[in-house]
Amino acid sequence: MRVPTFERFQRFMQVTAFFVCGMIVGSAVYNALKINVVNEVIQKNYELKDQLETIKTDLELAQQVRKENVIRNIVTIFRNDQGNSENLDIMTEKELKRRLKEDLNIIFLGRNIYTINTDAEVARKLLNKKVYDHVEDQDYEVTIRTMLLVDGVLQVWVEAKKHLNK
């Protein structure tokens, strides 16, 4: 029995190797695209959970204080005036919003809208350049820039940047 020489199968082996390499590269590209889509879905899920939580608290407070002139809700808006600093990711922004809202709820929630001027000054002094520790393995310094009260909703514009330990 004779064994055929390898030269007869050289072209077949090249085509097979090219096909296998194409399958590997194609599966890697497909996996990268799939991971990107899943990451977008997860981020959108976090955004929607944050919105749902905010709407639930708004509804509860609206039912408690229907026709009174008090602060019923606090909305925190992050802004980035410095072009050199990077924007906050969704997870960090959500955690900072939650912590800041807890601090502001203690001071403002349920207060009469006509007598919050002194409370605003106190809040600004207490929360000015406050450092929130261990937010996504970083420390962030939060500064309150503007506060606006409209229809029982206190809107607070804040600026957050990474805090460098000294």
Side-chain angles (χ1 to χ4, degrees), residues 19-126:
F19 181 72
V20 169
C21 288
M23 284 177 36
I24 292 171
V25 170
S27 66
V29 169
Y30 175 76
N31 195 21
L33 292 174
K34 187 174 180 179
I35 286 173
N36 188 25
V37 169
V38 168
N39 191 26
E40 288 177 11
V41 168
I42 288 171
Q43 287 182 348
K44 187 67 174 176
N45 188 17
Y46 280 117
E47 289 175 6
L48 291 175
K49 282 182 180 179
D50 187 34
Q51 288 178 358
L52 179 64
E53 181 181 315
T54 304
I55 289 171
K56 281 183 180 179
T57 56
D58 291 348
L59 180 61
E60 289 173 4
L61 289 173
Q63 290 173 350
Q64 289 176 358
V65 287
R66 275 219 174 139
K67 304 257 177 172
E68 298 176 21
N69 289 329
V70 295
I71 297 175
R72 294 184 297 272
N73 189 16
I74 298 173
V75 176
T76 307
I77 302 167
F78 282 92
R79 69 176 194 182
N80 187 8
D81 285 343
Q82 300 171 347
N84 57 359
S85 65
E86 68 278 350
N87 290 332
L88 299 175
D89 64 344
I90 293 171
M91 297 294 294
T92 304
E93 187 173 323
K94 181 180 177 184
E95 181 64 22
L96 283 173
K97 276 184 181 181
R98 185 188 64 78
R99 290 187 186 185
L100 188 62
K101 193 169 184 174
E102 285 176 2
D103 291 341
L104 291 172
N105 281 348
I106 294 170
I107 300 171
F108 290 113
L109 207 60
R111 299 283 176 128
N112 191 339
I113 63 173
Y114 301 113
T115 61
I116 66 158
N117 189 26
T118 56
D119 296 337
E121 291 172 9
V122 170
R124 187 177 295 272
K125 288 178 183 175
L126 286 175

